[in-house]
Amino acid sequence: MKKLQSLLIGILAIILILFFGARQLEKASGMAGADTLTIYNWGDYIDPDLLRKFEKESGYKVNYETFDSNEAMFTKIQQGGTAYDITIPSEYMIQKMMKEKMLLPIDHSKLKGLENIDERFLNLDFDPQNKYSIPYFWGTLGIIYNDKFVDEGQIQHWDDLWKPALKDNVMLIDGAREVLGLSLNSLGYSLNSKNNQELRKATDKLNKLTTNVKAIVADEIKMYMINEESAAAVTFSGEASEMLDGNEHLHYVIPSEGSNLWFDNIVIPKTAKNIKGSYEFINFMLRPENAAQNAEYIGYSTPNKAAKKLLPKEISSDKQFYPSDEVIKHLEVYEDLGAKYLGIYNDLFLEFKMYRK
């Protein structure tokens, strides 16, 4: 009898260990179910106070993870393991995720506040009728420069980066689409070009820029420019906003001949576990006061027209970050190039980086 009792106790202990182990594994992999909302976002891309506010209002515990590129986010979600309820990709990656059937369609009947979004940022080519995504932030790619090194107004175009006066004084963002794109635009070509001759010319022109390139980096650009370690850099508008706050001698320019207009939208991955919580979070971020708080904290441009009205005038009227329709019409959205041409862009960018050495 005692042996039987010992056996039963042993079995019960194993069951309990397995149960609690599974719970811990579930939490660690972001799949805690109905009580948890698991968000996968870019680094430093939401006001932490808003996450705490959402937790308090909704009763959900937020698991928040970050990524540093669309490609890294895509790969992790495709591989599975963590069931993200919300993620925030860029437009071309949304196209790719749609093609791969990795997203759940948005049920518009569950949305509250979509009318707050500026119509210019709805029903765009990468997601007609916003069937799979809801606007979060938007912005541009441009040039930031320091008037201690360059006279104000002397940098207005991509070609200005090739000026001999900028020898060893230009920083580039570490991205194939961005760098190949600026060279393509400087030649009058589309930044989504699939013309091999145009791509060759763009690469050849980039190779002539090497004497001016001080470094090819990512987030470090902010620190370098604020600390006046370079005269100019290629960066995104939101990053530029932070730099301007850190140094009064910096200026941001969107080249008039063309550049990238980008959009980051909220989507619900097909593997999401907390669908109800996903909609609650989307609706929370559609509220004007929350979107305005987020835009002021992050520095990127909000697509929420009601939120824009709540922003300080010096922010909402700043043409560097809320450019006119005239400027916007010369900008292009990155398209999903497909595996073949994405590989070509990456190879040409690598060639350029190796040429520098």
Side-chain angles (χ1 to χ4, degrees):
M1 187 67 178
K2 287 182 179 180
K3 287 184 178 180
L4 181 59
Q5 286 179 332
S6 297
L7 181 60
L8 290 173
I9 291 171
I11 293 171
L12 181 60
I14 291 171
I15 291 171
L16 290 171
I17 289 170
L18 290 173
F19 174 77
F20 285 110
R23 292 290 291 172
Q24 288 302 113
L25 182 61
E26 192 177 72
K27 288 180 181 179
S29 61
M31 296 186 291
D35 297 331
T36 301
L37 187 75
T38 304
I39 300 174
Y40 199 25
N41 197 2
W42 298 85
D44 196 25
Y45 210 33
I46 192 169
D47 184 343
D49 286 343
L50 285 173
L51 292 178
R52 289 187 280 270
K53 180 180 178 182
F54 177 75
E55 286 183 324
K56 186 174 180 181
E57 286 188 11
S58 67
Y60 295 119
K61 170 71 175 69
V62 173
N63 282 338
Y64 191 81
E65 294 185 30
T66 63
F67 55 85
D68 59 8
S69 73
N70 280 291
E71 289 69 27
M73 176 275 304
F74 176 88
T75 299
K76 191 167 184 182
I77 290 180
Q78 188 180 50
Q79 289 175 343
T82 302
Y84 295 109
D85 301 306
I86 289 286
T87 192
I88 304 177
S90 302
E91 65 297 307
Y92 73 94
M93 188 54 69
I94 292 171
Q95 279 186 311
K96 185 172 182 178
M97 295 175 83
M98 287 163 57
K99 288 178 184 176
E100 297 292 331
K101 302 189 185 305
M102 293 170 61
L103 303 178
L104 289 177
I106 299 291
D107 184 348
H108 283 234
S109 70
K110 295 180 180 178
L111 298 178
K112 297 177 182 177
L114 189 61
E115 66 278 3
N116 294 326
I117 299 295
D118 189 322
E119 292 79 7
R120 294 180 302 165
F121 306 122
L122 294 171
N123 194 31
L124 298 178
D125 289 345
F126 65 89
D127 184 17
Q129 286 82 52
N130 291 91
K131 188 175 179 181
Y132 290 94
S133 69
I134 301 298
Y136 182 71
F137 275 128
W138 67 280
T140 57
L141 182 75
I143 304 168
I144 191 162
Y145 71 91
N146 189 314
D147 62 28
K148 284 187 175 182
F149 299 91
V150 182
D151 290 340
E152 188 172 349
Q154 290 303 300
I155 291 185
Q156 297 294 320
H157 305 283
W158 291 123
D159 274 345
D160 293 330
L161 296 176
W162 276 260
K163 288 181 175 179
L166 289 177
K167 183 178 180 180
D168 197 32
N169 237 331
V170 174
M171 291 194 172
L172 298 180
I173 192 166
D174 191 6
R177 296 298 301 271
E178 290 79 14
V179 176
L180 263 295
L182 73 86
S183 189
L184 286 163
N185 279 159
S186 75
L187 292 165
Y189 304 141
S190 167
L191 50 73
N192 294 303
S193 176
K194 291 185 177 181
N195 182 303
N196 290 330
Q197 187 175 1
E198 291 177 356
L199 290 168
R200 184 69 260 166
K201 287 181 179 179
T203 306
D204 290 343
K205 184 171 181 176
L206 280 176
N207 290 340
K208 295 175 183 176
L209 182 64
T210 55
T211 54
N212 287 5
V213 177
K214 184 173 186 175
I216 300 176
V217 289
D219 292 341
E220 302 93 329
I221 285 178
K222 283 188 286 189
M223 176 188 68
Y224 289 139
M225 292 304 295
I226 290 172
N227 292 340
E228 301 185 343
E229 295 184 39
S230 189
V234 175
T235 190
F236 292 109
S237 54
E239 304 289 285
S241 175
E242 289 187 52
M243 296 181 219
L244 297 185
D245 287 340
N247 190 317
E248 62 181 7
H249 293 284
L250 297 177
H251 307 268
Y252 180 68
V253 175
I254 306 168
S256 58
E257 60 272 21
S259 188
N260 170 229
L261 174 67
W262 57 262
F263 301 94
D264 287 342
N265 283 17
I266 302 175
V267 301
I268 304 175
K270 201 169 186 178
T271 52
K273 297 293 184 184
N274 189 351
I275 307 299
K276 182 174 181 293
S278 298
Y279 282 101
E280 287 188 43
F281 181 78
I282 292 172
N283 292 337
F284 176 83
M285 294 308 302
L286 283 171
R287 282 159 46 185
E289 69 274 16
N290 293 335
Q293 179 180 330
N294 206 28
E296 194 164 1
Y297 177 86
I298 299 300
Y300 282 104
S301 305
T302 178
N304 191 310
K305 61 187 177 184
K308 186 181 175 185
K309 293 178 181 178
L310 301 178
L311 292 172
K313 195 69 175 176
E314 62 268 22
I315 295 177
S316 61
S317 62
D318 192 336
K319 296 300 183 183
Q320 297 173 103
F321 304 105
Y322 290 93
S324 66
D325 289 342
E326 178 65 24
V327 172
I328 288 176
K329 76 179 184 181
H330 294 291
L331 306 179
E332 291 181 273
V333 176
Y334 289 134
E335 297 173 0
D336 177 16
L337 297 172
K340 176 185 174 182
Y341 273 93
L342 181 59
I344 291 173
Y345 272 69
N346 288 335
D347 289 344
L348 292 173
F349 184 51
L350 180 60
E351 176 189 322
F352 163 65
K353 289 200 285 188
M354 292 178 68
Y355 187 91
R356 290 181 65 239
K357 299 174 183 179

